[in-house]
Amino acid sequence: MNRANQRGQIWFNWSGPGCDPIHQLVADSFSIGRPYDVAIIGAGVIGCALAYQLSQYRLRTVMIDKAFDVGEGTSKGNSAIIHSGFDAMPGSLESQLVTSASRQWPELAQKLKIPFKPVSALMLAFNEEQCAQLPALREKALANGVDDLETVSAEEAKRMEPNIAAGVLGGLVIPRESIVDPFTTSIAYAEVAVENGVDVVFGLAVTDIDDAEAVIKFLVGKKGVRIPARYVINACGLGSRQLVDTYHGEAMDINPRRGQFVVYDRDSSHLVSRILLPIPTTKTKGMLVSPTIFGNLLAGPTAEDLPPDQIHSTGTTPEGISAVLASARQMCPALADQPVIATYAGLRCNCAQGSYWMRFNDGHPGIVTLSGIRSTGLTTSISTAQYVIQQMTEQCGLAFEKNNEAVDHRPETKWPGWWRQPFDNPERLAERPDYGRIVCSCENISRGELQDALDSCPGAATLDGLKRRTRVLTGRCQGFNCCVPTAEMISQHYKIPLASVTKCGPGSEFIAAGDGRHEPPSIPAPGPLGTTQHHFRVVVVGAGPAGIGTAVGLAKDGISSVLLVDRAPEIGGVPAKFEVKRGGVPTFVAWTRGRVLFGKEFVERLARELRQTNTDIWLESQVIDADKETRSLKVVSPRGRAEISADAVVIACGAREKTRSERGWIVGDRPARQFFTMQLIELLDGCHALPMQRPAIIGSDLIAYSAAAKLRTAGSQEAIVCDRSRRPAARLLERLYFGKWSRPVWHPAVGNITIADTLRVTGIEVGHHRQGCDGIVFSGELLPNSELIAAAGLGVTQPDRLPVRRGRNELSEPGWFIAGAVSGGLHGADWCYRDGLRAASAVSQYLKARSAPSAAM
């Protein structure tokens, strides 16, 4: 019987820092107590759904996975679509399960607080042969019980989706195709299961099943762990074949089928409103373009059959990504100009004997094998679990009774914060000011949401785990701003060194060395907003050098009622992160003084000038939206929400470095220890931690050589610097200056750079040569932080995100201005400060011209 009103236990095969000792797995963890009724091997979406369904009955259940979180395999790398089952093979088990599940999903999503949205799909025919297949596809759908499909002409298809290719000849509308959050699905299933008493073991690979023929079987793992159970469900996906051999189950042949995807920036979302599907083939459903529940557009996947032993080959390839981009452009040509913010690859379990390969009493009584569950597995997770339990009852003799004390839902507070923002609720924000402290500025994820996710992960949490629970690290900047603060929160929560924080478990440690700062920082209690005023002459967004220069210039011009807003807890922007330290590398030039300063020295000089003005300053204040017509801004902070307006708005939000996907020539895996230069500074100067000892820097401009010098003085070896150019982008004098501290090894890259590690970086492939390293820095190649400009409805070019201007500091709409690096290009802090002064002059002229008619009257 599962324990009434008692939560399940969670164990991790994770010794040492990083895991709470109470939750660490030991050899005798299962030596006491009666055997489990059911053991599920595999915590993907199918395993988690099984745990959820079994938890509704009076059974003692355990779920085991070799990874350190749920949904770490196939379940995290899919297209996140809930299928209606229109194109399944009529009469097949897959058709039965998809049809049943699609009808359950709206209610299931509501119960489990899984973001879900019906968007419909449009299948496109590009030639006469494909058009001829549409009636047969509709008949197939009818045979599957899907009776709401509609054939449409080319004109109707283009009316529905104006941005599809001109060559489309017709289409098929599938109304009930939907999109969902695939990560929350596995998490929600597992959370309810644990709430109902299901135990979970992470980090344990089951290598054998002893006494498989007996009533009580023993699941064997490393460290002498033996878990007794009456019934065993092999839901290992790509690992299922290896386990079948241990209990002599029915022979099957499986191989990984890789699917590569690209994720477009959310600014592209207006181009496609429903799922665009190609005509399917006998092998695959084809490469689609789809909205995601997160607001992006997704394209893919490829269908690459790999050898059976390549079950970890989740790296992207140049050929695969090129194929996805070409297919997306064929369906929606406008995507050719849209920025790609991420690429990834997932593996599906392809079974030669057929899809949904299920065997009951496989080899021995009480053993169940599930395999060959491919692209519809997310959809059918609930119906598959129901079907398996029914068949175990009928074929295996599993007996159970309903547990009337079990829950089948999650509370309202479990909706992901990105779906229902906590700061939208004034009462929640007043009660928890951390809901107003934005950590991830791309997705507006707060410190409070991260803390909630940490609290929901007893024992251990990883960066990937928090990413899937909150959307942190997934925005357009791919963790540029939020990665280090998130790692620090894990460090603080579990009271572990920063070097023990991991990406996805032991072996994927976030940094190489250093205790870091794992004591909670002092966070002052929020006071009221700096002023009750809601209209200003000028609002300046960004308190870096450009924003400070603007505020100082406006004060010199006699402009009062100026508000300076910044999301950081201190002024100064990026330079404020560069501490003053003996033997360090000063990098900020003060041209008027002919000196090179440390960042904090430079900022203090600017701060003295700012203190002489009457500027209102709101820190820890994130601008989440703007409107060009009213020049109004929506602001979130620990003190609450506010909507403010101004006669003039200056955007001084700076710039960031391109992500690996935005660079377009870096492929492979996505292991731990991939950083941007700003993260490097946060770790070296803010946390006093060494992120890597053998660094590789991708990029070769002034910023790259500065990063190499700072790493060298912190104790690393000489860095490898590589770029797609014949010689470094940094000028000779710049390289000579940093040569006082570092002489990095230059490698020109021919073609692509490949990162070929699944857990932690051990090297990169440059051309045909492998260069060893234990960390990577993506440096330089700056992109303007022009998101707020685009959100206001002002012009931004794609894919370089440059603001459209009608003057040096004037944006496309009167009353809107920019200052500093947001205008594009690589500029020093002193230049940005002076550009702020120039912007102030332009604003002053605008305000004077604006008030001239009223003054004459």
Side-chain angles (χ1 to χ4, degrees):
M1 301 270 181
N2 67 335
R3 298 148 295 194
N5 300 320
Q6 183 175 339
R7 286 174 55 84
Q9 300 274 356
I10 299 178
W11 288 281
F12 293 85
N13 185 23
W14 183 339
S15 57
C19 179
D20 188 328
I22 296 175
H23 291 271
Q24 288 178 357
L25 183 70
V26 294
D28 61 354
S29 293
F30 305 96
S31 61
I32 301 174
R34 69 181 185 82
Y36 287 100
D37 294 305
V38 183
I40 304 163
I41 308 173
V45 72
I46 298 294
C48 290
L50 281 161
Y52 168 75
Q53 281 296 116
L54 287 166
S55 77
Q56 305 302 308
Y57 302 97
R58 293 192 176 276
L59 296 167
R60 190 164 186 256
T61 304
V62 64
M63 180 169 62
I64 308 155
D65 200 283
K66 65 182 179 181
F68 292 88
D69 199 358
V70 298
E72 279 279 11
T74 297
S75 302
K76 71 179 181 182
N78 53 55
S79 54
I81 290 175
I82 299 301
H83 299 277
S84 60
F86 76 97
D87 59 345
M89 180 63 66
S92 66
L93 178 58
E94 180 177 16
S95 173
Q96 173 189 332
L97 295 176
V98 174
T99 301
S100 171
S102 66
R103 291 168 180 160
Q104 296 183 59
W105 258 101
E107 181 183 357
L108 179 72
Q110 184 65 34
K111 283 199 303 186
L112 294 181
K113 309 303 177 282
I114 302 170
F116 170 86
K117 184 179 180 182
V119 293
S120 79
L122 177 60
M123 182 173 287
L124 303 175
F126 286 93
N127 55 49
E128 295 296 341
E129 181 182 352
Q130 291 181 345
C131 279
Q133 295 181 53
L134 294 178
L137 286 167
R138 188 173 184 277
E139 290 300 316
K140 187 177 185 181
L142 289 171
N144 284 315
V146 183
D147 58 3
D148 53 357
L149 273 66
E150 179 185 359
T151 304
V152 295
S153 65
E155 292 73 20
E156 290 171 308
K158 291 168 186 173
R159 177 180 53 79
M160 297 171 70
E161 291 290 339
N163 295 301
I164 59 175
V168 169
L169 300 183
L172 192 65
V173 179
I174 308 103
R176 288 191 292 111
E177 296 285 291
S178 304
I179 55 176
V180 75
D181 177 354
F183 313 123
T184 298
T185 302
S186 295
I187 292 164
Y189 282 144
E191 283 186 354
V192 175
V194 171
E195 186 68 25
N196 289 331
V198 172
D199 293 340
V200 182
V201 181
F202 287 122
L204 183 70
V206 176
T207 57
D208 201 358
I209 298 181
D210 280 355
D211 301 329
E213 73 287 349
V215 173
I216 306 299
K217 311 162 200 318
F218 288 88
L219 283 66
V220 180
K222 292 182 179 179
K223 297 184 178 179
V225 174
R226 292 169 60 84
I227 303 176
R230 298 177 186 275
Y231 297 90
V232 176
I233 303 175
N234 175 355
C236 294
L238 285 165
S240 59
R241 179 70 178 83
Q242 185 176 359
L243 193 58
V244 164
D245 290 341
T246 69
Y247 54 78
H248 307 293
E250 188 172 340
M252 61 176 176
D253 302 292
I254 63 174
N255 71 279
R257 179 170 288 173
R258 181 167 59 193
Q260 300 187 49
F261 295 85
V262 301
V263 181
Y264 290 94
D265 187 87
R266 65 171 62 226
D267 283 348
S268 309
S269 61
H270 68 281
L271 295 174
V272 175
S273 61
R274 50 179 56 78
I275 303 162
L276 302 183
L277 299 172
I279 302 294
T281 67
T282 55
K283 178 181 178 181
T284 175
K285 293 178 182 293
M287 288 187 273
L288 52 80
V289 174
S290 172
T292 72
I293 199 74
F294 310 113
N296 305 94
L297 289 182
L298 180 72
T302 56
E304 309 160 49
D305 282 316
L306 304 179
D309 60 342
Q310 293 190 19
I311 61 173
H312 302 295
S313 296
T314 55
T316 57
T317 66
E319 299 79 14
I321 297 303
S322 294
V324 174
L325 292 172
S327 174
R329 289 193 294 266
Q330 181 187 22
M331 284 200 255
C332 179
L335 287 173
D337 297 325
Q338 297 301 314
V340 171
I341 65 167
T343 58
Y344 66 95
L347 298 176
R348 290 156 279 175
C349 181
N350 182 52
C351 181
Q353 284 73 23
S355 62
Y356 286 81
W357 176 263
M358 299 187 187
R359 292 296 178 267
F360 298 88
N361 298 316
D362 191 21
H364 299 285
I367 296 181
V368 177
T369 302
L370 310 178
S371 193
I373 301 174
R374 300 201 306 256
S375 56
T376 56
L378 173 63
T379 302
T380 68
S381 55
I382 188 65
S383 56
T384 295
Q386 293 162 347
Y387 175 82
V388 169
I389 292 172
Q390 175 191 348
Q391 294 301 310
M392 288 180 71
T393 304
E394 296 175 1
Q395 299 190 45
C396 304
L398 175 64
F400 49 74
E401 62 176 298
K402 184 74 176 175
N403 180 5
N404 293 324
E405 297 177 358
V407 298
D408 65 352
H409 62 279
R410 298 199 301 168
E412 285 294 314
T413 54
K414 281 293 186 175
W415 285 109
W418 58 267
W419 183 250
R420 294 188 180 177
Q421 299 281 10
F423 55 66
D424 284 336
N425 185 327
E427 293 180 359
R428 291 188 73 185
L429 182 53
E431 183 181 340
R432 287 275 302 278
D434 271 356
Y435 286 136
R437 290 189 168 94
I438 303 301
V439 176
C440 172
S441 56
C442 294
E443 302 291 317
N444 290 327
I445 306 303
S446 68
R447 184 180 179 87
E449 293 163 69
L450 287 172
Q451 188 59 55
D452 289 345
L454 285 167
D455 292 338
S456 74
C457 297
T462 63
L463 288 166
D464 280 356
L466 291 191
K467 175 174 71 174
R468 289 192 285 271
R469 284 165 175 81
T470 66
R471 292 284 294 160
V472 74
L473 310 175
T474 62
R476 54 172 55 92
C477 78
Q478 295 289 287
F480 181 87
N481 292 303
C482 59
C483 183
V484 174
T486 301
E488 285 187 284
M489 285 193 69
I490 296 174
S491 170
Q492 294 155 11
H493 183 81
Y494 292 106
K495 297 181 173 57
I496 58 175
L498 201 57
S500 296
V501 174
T502 69
K503 181 180 185 289
C504 56
S508 64
E509 285 72 24
F510 173 58
I511 61 172
D515 288 343
R517 183 177 64 230
H518 56 266
E519 289 300 319
S522 176
I523 300 177
L529 290 172
T531 174
T532 58
Q533 183 178 349
H534 289 278
H535 182 81
F536 299 85
R537 294 293 306 282
V538 184
V539 173
V540 183
V541 184
I548 294 173
T550 303
V552 170
L554 289 169
K556 289 179 178 179
D557 286 347
I559 306 296
S560 59
S561 185
V562 175
L563 173 66
L564 185 61
V565 181
D566 201 283
R567 64 193 178 202
E570 61 182 352
I571 66 167
V574 173
K577 300 178 183 296
F578 289 71
E579 70 177 3
V580 180
K581 56 185 176 184
R582 195 167 193 172
V585 184
T587 56
F588 293 88
V589 179
W591 292 103
T592 55
R593 299 189 177 189
R595 294 178 58 196
V596 184
L597 306 173
F598 291 95
K600 287 188 180 294
E601 289 178 318
F602 185 86
V603 169
E604 180 51 37
R605 182 172 68 85
L606 303 187
R608 285 196 296 269
E609 295 191 47
L610 182 62
R611 285 193 290 267
Q612 295 174 17
T613 72
N614 291 319
T615 305
D616 282 312
I617 302 173
W618 290 3
L619 298 177
E620 285 193 310
S621 298
Q622 173 79 29
V623 180
I624 61 172
D625 203 0
D627 182 79
K628 71 177 180 181
E629 303 297 338
T630 59
R631 288 186 293 277
S632 61
L633 307 171
K634 294 179 180 178
V635 183
V636 171
S637 80
R639 299 167 294 279
R641 289 192 59 160
E643 185 161 344
I644 58 178
S645 60
D647 297 330
V649 178
V650 182
I651 307 296
C653 296
R656 63 169 174 84
E657 289 158 319
K658 284 186 178 180
T659 66
R660 54 177 283 178
S661 297
E662 286 170 332
R663 292 169 195 251
W665 48 280
I666 302 167
V667 294
D669 289 304
R670 299 190 296 173
R673 296 192 196 165
Q674 297 185 59
F675 302 101
F676 299 100
T677 306
M678 193 179 79
Q679 296 169 346
L680 190 69
I681 301 309
E682 290 177 313
L683 290 166
L684 292 173
D685 289 0
C687 302
H688 302 133
L690 184 62
M692 60 196 79
Q693 293 171 328
R694 294 179 298 122
I697 299 175
I698 299 178
S700 62
D701 61 11
L702 171 67
I703 301 174
Y705 277 81
S706 169
K710 290 190 72 66
L711 279 164
R712 191 75 177 94
T713 59
S716 80
Q717 298 177 20
E718 287 287 8
I720 298 166
V721 172
C722 50
D723 207 348
R724 285 212 306 180
S725 56
R726 299 185 65 179
R727 56 177 56 88
R731 292 173 294 187
L732 178 60
L733 288 177
E734 294 167 343
R735 301 202 302 273
L736 288 174
Y737 174 78
F738 289 111
K740 292 185 285 185
W741 297 278
S742 170
R743 297 183 181 275
V745 181
W746 162 248
H747 283 283
V750 178
N752 298 279
I753 286 180
T754 303
I755 303 167
D757 302 274
T758 55
L759 288 179
R760 189 173 66 217
V761 171
T762 59
I764 57 175
E765 294 177 12
V766 184
H768 300 292
H769 304 283
R770 182 179 175 89
Q771 304 293 332
C773 63
D774 65 349
I776 296 172
V777 181
F778 300 113
S779 186
E781 292 198 49
L782 299 183
L783 278 178
N785 287 324
S786 56
E787 292 79 16
L788 187 58
I789 297 171
L794 297 157
V796 174
T797 63
Q798 296 293 4
D800 53 14
R801 296 197 179 97
L802 291 173
V804 176
R805 293 181 284 175
R806 57 178 187 151
R808 176 165 185 154
N809 295 98
E810 297 172 272
L811 289 171
S812 55
E813 189 77 12
W816 289 85
F817 300 84
I818 56 171
V822 73
S823 61
L826 173 57
H827 303 291
D830 194 70
W831 183 94
C832 291
Y833 173 75
R834 297 188 176 282
D835 196 52
L837 295 176
R838 288 188 287 268
S841 177
V843 172
S844 298
Q845 292 176 30
Y846 167 78
L847 292 176
K848 289 173 184 176
R850 189 169 185 262
S851 60
S854 60
M857 293 173 64

